[in-house]
Amino acid sequence: MSDKYGLIGYPLTHSFSKGYFNEKFQSEKLDAEYINFEIPNIGEFKALVASNPDLKGLNVTIPYKEQVIKYLDDLDEAVKEIGAVNVIKFIRTKNGLKLKGYNSDYGGFYDSISPEINDKHKKALILGTGGASKAVVYALNKLGVECVFVSRKPGKGELAYTDLDEKIMKEYTVIINTTPVGMYPKVDDAPDIPYECLTPDHFLYDLLYNPDVTKFMRLGKEHGAEIKNGLEMLLLQAFISWQIWQSQ
């Protein structure tokens, strides 16, 4: 029986992981496969685990990074602070199965953005409040960058998109898009920020990677801002996922 890994989320049409891991398994001649498990409700998670006794690990994507936590037996220390899981390790012993949650988004993002953060970047706007946004804030705080969430429905301490004026845009020179706005096929969409306030002092990072240059990034570049997409982060977090699954 080959080892089985996979991804849970809904929908999964945008998934990168399946191709990445199956190519890895083939090139390294590993007896393993990676499967997309598209589940429309997190309530199906238990049944999925029960019906796949050869599962060794799962990645978790939108919208289940926070919802899946209640089904896990143990959490990595970083997850306890971040509050979101995107890697599950299946630990099978004679006493049964134990599921432990990790967050590789944090490490992947940290390694990807740390070379870009310099002394002029002290504050960041985080567009979106989902599971990935929490890993982003955790990483930026480790780098000494102060963060504020921007949301369509802002909670306490958060900003609305309509709050983003020239003063705030000048103060917050790092802007991270953690939302799906602008992802293929809706490539003509972009987060509703005042792009005219951007300058060469700004750095825009989009967690999206399809298309390579999102409208968010393109509009930033037109105003001289530095830009980066999420492909490097994706590759780094996939590598971290594999390390977690293979660790003893």
Side-chain angles (χ1 to χ4, degrees):
M1 188 184 296
S2 63
D3 292 341
K4 190 185 289 184
Y5 302 88
L7 173 69
I8 61 167
Y10 189 83
L12 292 179
T13 52
H14 64 284
S15 168
F16 157 90
S17 302
K18 182 179 178 181
Y20 171 85
F21 279 108
N22 282 327
E23 285 179 21
K24 174 184 177 66
F25 298 154
Q26 189 174 5
S27 66
E28 297 180 16
K29 295 182 171 56
L30 298 173
D31 186 17
E33 64 174 333
Y34 192 101
I35 300 168
N36 280 354
F37 296 105
E38 190 173 67
I39 55 173
N41 189 300
I42 193 62
E44 297 181 23
F45 179 76
K46 277 188 173 182
L48 186 153
V49 171
S51 59
N52 289 275
D54 45 352
L55 263 174
K56 301 284 188 181
L58 286 172
N59 286 124
V60 184
T61 189
I62 296 170
Y64 300 136
K65 291 184 180 185
E66 295 159 292
Q67 296 178 36
V68 78
I69 289 177
K70 64 184 177 184
Y71 295 97
L72 306 180
D73 303 299
D74 193 11
L75 300 174
D76 180 64
E77 287 304 313
V79 168
K80 293 175 184 176
E81 289 195 50
I82 296 167
V85 162
N86 75 316
V87 182
I88 301 172
K89 183 176 182 178
F90 284 58
I91 305 167
R92 299 184 188 276
T93 68
K94 61 183 179 181
N95 297 319
L97 173 64
K98 179 180 174 183
L99 302 179
K100 185 170 182 179
Y102 296 82
N103 192 297
S104 65
D105 280 342
Y106 146 63
F109 180 75
Y110 182 95
D111 290 345
S112 178
I113 201 170
S114 54
E116 317 295 339
I117 298 299
N118 54 40
D119 290 342
K120 71 180 179 183
H121 295 316
K122 298 295 186 185
K123 295 185 177 183
L125 296 174
I126 313 301
L127 310 183
T129 57
S133 72
K134 294 169 176 59
V136 163
V137 168
Y138 185 75
L140 285 171
N141 286 343
K142 294 273 188 186
L143 290 166
V145 178
E146 180 185 323
C147 301
V148 172
F149 287 111
V150 182
S151 174
R152 289 176 298 173
K153 298 178 181 178
K156 187 177 180 181
E158 299 174 350
L159 296 174
Y161 284 90
T162 51
D163 293 328
L164 302 181
D165 57 18
E166 188 174 358
K167 180 177 181 294
I168 288 173
M169 294 294 286
K170 185 176 181 180
E171 188 177 354
Y172 290 82
T173 56
V174 178
I175 306 175
I176 315 293
N177 178 35
T178 73
T179 78
V181 176
M183 184 170 69
Y184 179 86
K186 298 182 178 180
V187 297
D188 293 326
D189 293 347
D192 188 16
I193 66 171
Y195 292 93
E196 68 276 7
C197 295
L198 296 175
T199 70
D201 288 332
H202 284 86
F203 174 69
L204 273 58
Y205 191 115
D206 202 328
L207 265 58
L208 302 178
Y209 54 90
N210 184 12
D212 288 342
V213 179
T214 60
K215 187 176 180 181
F216 168 74
M217 295 167 63
R218 177 170 57 78
L219 292 172
K221 190 174 183 179
E222 286 175 4
H223 290 85
E226 294 290 323
I227 60 172
K228 192 169 191 175
N229 72 13
L231 184 58
E232 183 182 53
M233 171 186 170
L234 196 71
L235 292 165
L236 289 165
Q237 71 88 9
F239 177 73
I240 295 168
S241 295
W242 183 245
Q243 287 185 311
I244 290 168
W245 293 331
Q246 295 303 299
S247 65
Q248 296 301 313

